[in-house]
């Protein structure tokens, strides 16, 4: 029986396509309840819930892929399970057990199997776990009740016009996170803080904002929803900072770089170093690696041309191809990053 969803996979974007089911668990009276499967894409929420007033909201983003062999592969399930626990602890929410996270993800992916894009389409099934503080209270303190839910939605290929480098911009009048603040956790509030600069970038014709460290504005932090890396002298260089989100894609690319015989440096990266790098890219689940053409430091007027010939660099391209190959099952998963569903 072929009941594949009737979707034009090649024209899919990054919106929201409804699927059949989502899964939820509630935390109440000191414990997590049973997994509930629902067809409803709404939630019923008290108007005084802490997530609505005090930002007790965290999320994750991971993907499932259909391989050439027809099998479904989920990339780095365990790492996402662990990261959302750290986010929960960071803003005083109840962390979900890793095993429960995995069970819920596998369940929601299987239930919506007909929405997993076919191999070769470039599209994938995006998995979005979220956790919300649900207790009705106006006093500023952590909730005692939580809702953890996971929905999935098919998303299109990131590089519709091919794997091309893009321009990004630094706006020194904005920070997305504070030093020692919530930048290291995946909380919705960080995204609210990034919207104004993001809009400026869009209006200026830039693909993304590159944030500098919020304390000294000397070092590179990351892009709004993606980490940053550069390549020079056979070395993968990525910023180390308390205000960036530890990207699982970045972690994976660092390992692949080592596999390729590169050195890896995770350290503070002064913004002026952009003048000396051979390649640079944004990295995250959405794109894997999005090559950078040029970085414009808007307030100082300095422009760093990264790609001299307008093409993606060879190392970035190889890193991208290897990671995609592992996700799709075309390359051997030597580090056990992929959960294959049967
Ligand atoms: C999610 C996210 C990333 C990318 O992380 P991945 O695990 O690679 O998807 C990077 N920066 C921020 C701020 C994020 O929220």
């Amino acid at each position: 029986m072929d009941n594949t969803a009737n979707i034009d996979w090649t024209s899919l974007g990054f919106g929201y396509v409804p699927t059949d089911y989502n899964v939820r668990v509630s935390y109440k009276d000191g414990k997590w309840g049973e997994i509930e499967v629902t067809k409803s894409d709404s939630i019923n929420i008290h108007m005084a819930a802490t997530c609505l007033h005090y930002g007790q909201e965290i999320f994750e983003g991971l993907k499932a892929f259909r391989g050439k062999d027809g099998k479904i592969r989920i990339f780095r399930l365990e790492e996402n399970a662990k990261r959302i626990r750290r986010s929960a602890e960071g803003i005083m929410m109840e962390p979900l057990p890793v095993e429960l996270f995995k069970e819920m993800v596998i369940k929601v992916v299987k239930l919506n199997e007909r929405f997993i894009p076919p191999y070769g389409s470039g599209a994938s099934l995006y998995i979005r776990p979220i956790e919300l503080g649900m207790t009705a209270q106006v006093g500023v303190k952590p909730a005692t009740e939580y809702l953890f839910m996971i929905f999935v939605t098919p998303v299109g290929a990131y590089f519709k016009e091919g794997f091309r480098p893009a321009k990004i911009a630094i706006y020194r009048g904005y920070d997305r996170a504070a030093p020692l603040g919530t930048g290291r956790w995946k909380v919705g509030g960080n995204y609210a803080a990034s919207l104004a600069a993001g809009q400026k970038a869009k209006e200026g014709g830039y693909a993304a904002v590159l944030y500098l460290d919020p304390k000294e504005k000397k070092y590179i932090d990351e892009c709004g929803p993606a980490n940053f890396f550069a390549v020079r002298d056979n070395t993968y260089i990525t910023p180390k900072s308390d205000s960036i989100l530890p990207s699982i894609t970045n972690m994976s690319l660092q390992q692949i770089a080592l596999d390729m015989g590169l050195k890896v440096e995770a350290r503070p990266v002064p913004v002026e170093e952009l003048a000396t790098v051979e390649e640079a890219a944004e990295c995250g689940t959405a794109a894997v690696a999005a090559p950078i053409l040029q970085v414009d430091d808007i307030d100082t007027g300095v422009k760093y041309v990264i790609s001299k010939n307008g093409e993606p660099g060879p190392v970035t391209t190889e890193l991208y191809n290897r990671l995609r190959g592992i996700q799709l099952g075309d390359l051997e998963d030597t580090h056990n990053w992929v959960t294959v569903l049967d």
Side-chain angles (χ1 to χ4, degrees), residues 59-61 80 83 176 183 186 191 222-227 245-250 283-286:
F59 66 100
E60 267 306 322
N80 283 272
R83 188 170 65 186
R176 64 171 280 282
K186 214 167 175 75
Y191 279 74
E222 65 170 323
C223 299
N227 276 186
L245 193 276
S247 153
I248 294 166
T249 310
N250 191 359
C283 60
T285 294

Side-chain angles (χ1 to χ4, degrees), residues 151-166:
F151 68 82
V152 296
T153 192
V155 294
Y158 189 88
F159 296 103
K160 285 229 163 47
E161 277 96 51
F163 187 60
R164 308 291 318 157

Side-chain angles (χ1 to χ4, degrees), residues 302-318:
V302 179
K303 293 183 192 310
Y304 300 96
V305 179
I306 310 286
S307 169
K308 312 289 188 272
N309 62 1
E311 299 293 327
V315 175
T316 305
T317 305
E318 179 70 12

Side-chain angles (χ1 to χ4, degrees), residues 25 27 30-32 56 58 81-101 131 143 146 148:
V25 284
Y27 182 86
K31 58 180 192 302
W32 291 102
Q56 269 201 313
I58 54 177
K82 286 176 0 200
R83 188 170 65 186
I84 200 165
R85 283 181 63 85
R86 293 199 301 272
S87 298
E89 284 156 0
I91 61 167
M92 302 298 288
M93 297 173 69
E94 184 62 30
L96 187 78
V98 167
E99 288 310 312
L100 186 51
F101 180 95
E131 183 174 344
Y146 292 91
F148 197 109

Side-chain angles (χ1 to χ4, degrees), residues 177-211:
L180 305 178
T182 56
R184 64 199 122 152
W185 304 309
K186 214 167 175 75
V187 313
N190 295 339
Y191 279 74
S194 76
L195 292 175
Q199 187 62 28
K200 277 206 139 182
K202 206 169 187 184
E203 285 163 13
Y206 295 100
V209 176
L210 181 62
Y211 288 93

Side-chain angles (χ1 to χ4, degrees), residues 19-23 37-39 108 111-112 115 150-152:
T19 54
D20 289 335
Y21 302 99
N22 58 83
V23 295
V37 175
T38 168
K39 278 177 172 292
V108 74
L111 283 166
N112 294 290
F115 293 94
I150 310 180
F151 68 82
V152 296

Side-chain angles (χ1 to χ4, degrees), residues 52-79:
L52 298 178
H53 301 260
Y54 305 129
Q56 269 201 313
E57 190 274 343
I58 54 177
F59 66 100
E60 267 306 322
L62 62 164
K63 282 178 170 176
F65 304 86
R66 175 87 63 186
K68 203 188 271 179
D69 54 9
K71 289 192 177 146
I72 302 163
R73 288 176 172 75
I74 304 172
F75 189 66
R76 307 219 70 169
L77 183 52
E78 173 108 10
E79 285 302 323

